[in-house]
């Protein structure tokens, strides 16, 4: 659970509970180490420490006189393999010492025993939550182990279907991701690069829309997908399948877009939620490996042997712009899988990585769809990040909203800081995944950063304004714009019951919040602020961070850090603004 704590004279009080996740990097904790011994040997953390972004690696840390008059923000990260409760996530406050003895002088050594920076840290976390990624891993293992058995002449052909508008073809669908059925879809429109198929499984008597008006959207949907088809591949790689091991279909002539009631939940009362669409990895495998997996696990997976997207019919009628954006998002999932697992033989990507990439695709391609940034999904994800940045972007089991928001902001920060469109393209087309892909793309920029040094700088980006400018770029003759982000433009609602739990009164955001019927509307990233006698800290999910306003630096101030019960996975920095 996400727990925020206010610490007063050594007594800890629970203030609020939310949801959290699990670890991030290999846990370096040891009963023989203290947090600052672990910190001092963290070469990546030491590397990014500088005068205005100071790594806290001792009980007392000297503050340079150049930072007098600036606001000191504590940014604490969880770099461990497990989530960390608030009583173990450190904390710090400003402490004024007018004169120092020699004994105190020795207490604020920084990175004294750090090892030479190598740019490499191990990650032993294995958290994958999307079911189709899990299936793909199993299929990938089968295809690697049993390649000889599936190299038949028919192995990579896929299914040939009609392309005449008005005719029908069979596809497998599942409403619950467990049981599959074969149904007949009607080809309603055929674009240059896609076929639009519709299966009418909606009871329109329960809806406030007519069936006749729905059909007008099919041709538009084909046009919208065609408008991004080549532009998206210019950045995120080709949709063509090399099929090196024979387990995959050949590259189809067109993408198949299947429209039906995805979760069998179409009704007027469902306006506020539901699934807009998805890409099923299994569909680009041939029957042979899927059948073998079914035999091994007594499962019933089916492959359509096509590059498919599944789109919700109700949302296509009622929120077509969201469906157009969803196609961009899902197309990246397809391109990412083809250009890593299929063509390069890489492992299957983790959820945070592919969702980060798909949201970057939305960011730079929505203008091709005629969608304004403020009307896209992305502002809502910024609001989630503002509230849930302490949960990180690795764990999607308990709070998917936090995962989306944090993954998007992390990706936007990387692109803003390390080369814009060129960075995204290098990331997408390097044939690597996850942290390794980020490190590879960072090296292409000529900077000596890797995933971990970039990660440590991420928290500062929400405070320093480095995300606010638009960045333009070009790839293969297509122009793109990475949108600027002012985190203080995005709000979230806190109900009165949560506000009564007290800690929101100790946030920098409170003075900027607005009273609404159900509580208060808060803007910007949740930032705690210390008082004369209290300091605040939050529980941290894997890869999460919290921010505390420690106050204004005066002459003679030092950073006094909390070490009691602090996990060795915590890294604390102070940013002076």
């Amino acid at each position: 659970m996400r727990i925020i704590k206010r610490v007063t004279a050594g007594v800890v009080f629970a203030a609020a509970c939310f949801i959290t996740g699990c670890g991030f990097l290999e846990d370096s904790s040891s009963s023989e180490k203290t947090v600052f011994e672990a910190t001092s040997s963290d070469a990546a953390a030491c590397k990014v420490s500088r005068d205005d972004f100071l790594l806290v690696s001792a009980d007392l840390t000297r503050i340079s006189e150049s930072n007098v008059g600036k606001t000191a923000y504590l940014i604490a990260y969880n770099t461990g393999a497990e989530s960390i409760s608030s009583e173990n996530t450190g904390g710090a406050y400003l402490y004024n010492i007018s004169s120092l003895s020699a004994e105190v002088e020795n207490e604020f050594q920084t990175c004294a025993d750090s090892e030479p920076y190598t740019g490499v840290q191990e990650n032993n976390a294995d958290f994958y939550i999307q079911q189709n990624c899990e299936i793909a891993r199993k299929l990938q293992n089968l295809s690697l182990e049993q390649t000889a058995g599936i190299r038949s002449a028919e192995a990579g052909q896929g299914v040939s279907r009609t392309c005449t508008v008005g005719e029908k073809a069979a596809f497998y669908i599942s409403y619950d991701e467990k049981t599959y059925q074969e149904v007949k879809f009607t080809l309603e429109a055929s674009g240059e690069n896609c076929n639009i198929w519709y299966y009418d499984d909606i009871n329109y008597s329960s809806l406030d829309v007519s069936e006749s008006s729905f059909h007008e959207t099919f041709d538009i949907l084909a046009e919208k997908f065609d408008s991004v088809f080549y532009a998206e591949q210019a950045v995120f790689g080709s949709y063509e399948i090399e099929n090196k091991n024979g387990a995959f279909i050949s590259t189809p002539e067109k993408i198949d877009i299947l429209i039906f009631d995805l979760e069998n939940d179409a009704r007027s009362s469902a306006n506020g939620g539901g699934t807009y669409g998805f890409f099923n990895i299994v569909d680009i495998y041939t029957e042979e490996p899927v059948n073998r997996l079914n035999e091994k696990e007594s499962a019933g997976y089916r492959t359509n042997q096509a590059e498919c997207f599944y789109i919700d019919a109700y949302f296509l009628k009622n929120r077509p712009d969201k469906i157009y954006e969803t196609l961009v998002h899902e197309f990246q999932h397809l391109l990412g899988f083809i250009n890593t697992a299929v063509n390069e033989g890489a492992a299957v990507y983790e959820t945070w990585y592919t969702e980060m990439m798909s949201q970057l695709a939305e960011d730079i391609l929505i203008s091709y769809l005629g969608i304004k940034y403020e009307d896209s999904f992305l502002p809502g994800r910024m609001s989630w990040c503002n509230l849930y940045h302490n949960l990180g972007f690795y764990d999607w089991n308990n709070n998917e909203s936090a995962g989306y928001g944090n993954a998007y902001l992390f990706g936007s920060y990387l692109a803003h800081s390390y080369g814009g469109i060129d960075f995204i393209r290098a990331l997408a087309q390097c044939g690597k995944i996850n942290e390794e892909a980020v490190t590879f793309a960072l090296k292409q920029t000529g900077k000596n950063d890797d995933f971990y040094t970039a990660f440590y700088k991420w928290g500062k980006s929400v405070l320093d304004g480095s995300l606010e400018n638009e960045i333009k770029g070009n790839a293969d003759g297509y122009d793109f714009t990475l949108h600027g982000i002012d985190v203080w433009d995005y709000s979230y609602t806190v109900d009165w019951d949560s506000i009564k739990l007290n800690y929101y009164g100790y946030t920098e955001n409170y003075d900027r919040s607005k009273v609404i019927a159900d509580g208060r509307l808060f803007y910007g990233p949740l930032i705690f602020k210390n008082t004369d006698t209290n300091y605040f800290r939050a529980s941290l999910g894997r890869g999460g961070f919290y921010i505390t306003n420690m106050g204004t630096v005066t002459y003679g101030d030092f950073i006094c850090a909390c070490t009691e019960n602090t996990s060795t996975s915590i890294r604390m920095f102070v940013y002076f603004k």
Side-chain angles (χ1 to χ4, degrees), residues 377-392:
F377 286 113
L378 301 174
R381 290 164 185 167
M382 277 305 311
S383 294
W384 295 338
C385 182
N386 276 342
L387 180 58
Y388 294 124
H389 49 271
N390 70 305
L391 301 186

Side-chain angles (χ1 to χ4, degrees), residues 71-91:
T71 301
Y73 290 95
L74 175 70
I75 306 175
Y77 300 87
N78 174 13
T79 66
E82 299 178 352
S83 60
I84 304 175
S85 61
S86 59
E87 59 265 26
N88 304 123
T89 59

Side-chain angles (χ1 to χ4, degrees), residues 15 33 44 50 90 96 116 124 179 232 247 294 307 322 339 349 378 387 473 476 501 540:
K33 274 189 176 182
R50 52 182 49 88
N96 192 273
N124 70 343
T179 58
E232 189 156 357
N294 287 335
E307 294 186 4
K322 298 296 188 185
N339 287 281
Y349 41 56
L378 301 174
L387 180 58
D476 291 348
L501 293 173
L540 292 173

Side-chain angles (χ1 to χ4, degrees), residues 302-319:
R302 304 307 297 259
T303 170
N304 283 309
Q305 299 185 76
E307 294 186 4
C308 282
F309 300 130
Y310 298 78
I311 294 298
D312 186 74
Y314 179 82
F315 285 126
L316 177 60
K317 174 61 187 73
N318 288 274
R319 298 181 181 178

Side-chain angles (χ1 to χ4, degrees), residues 428-444:
Q429 298 192 32
C430 66
K432 306 177 188 302
I433 58 171
N434 307 335
E435 295 90 347
E436 184 182 7
V438 173
T439 293
F440 180 91
L442 288 169
K443 297 303 181 184
Q444 305 312 298

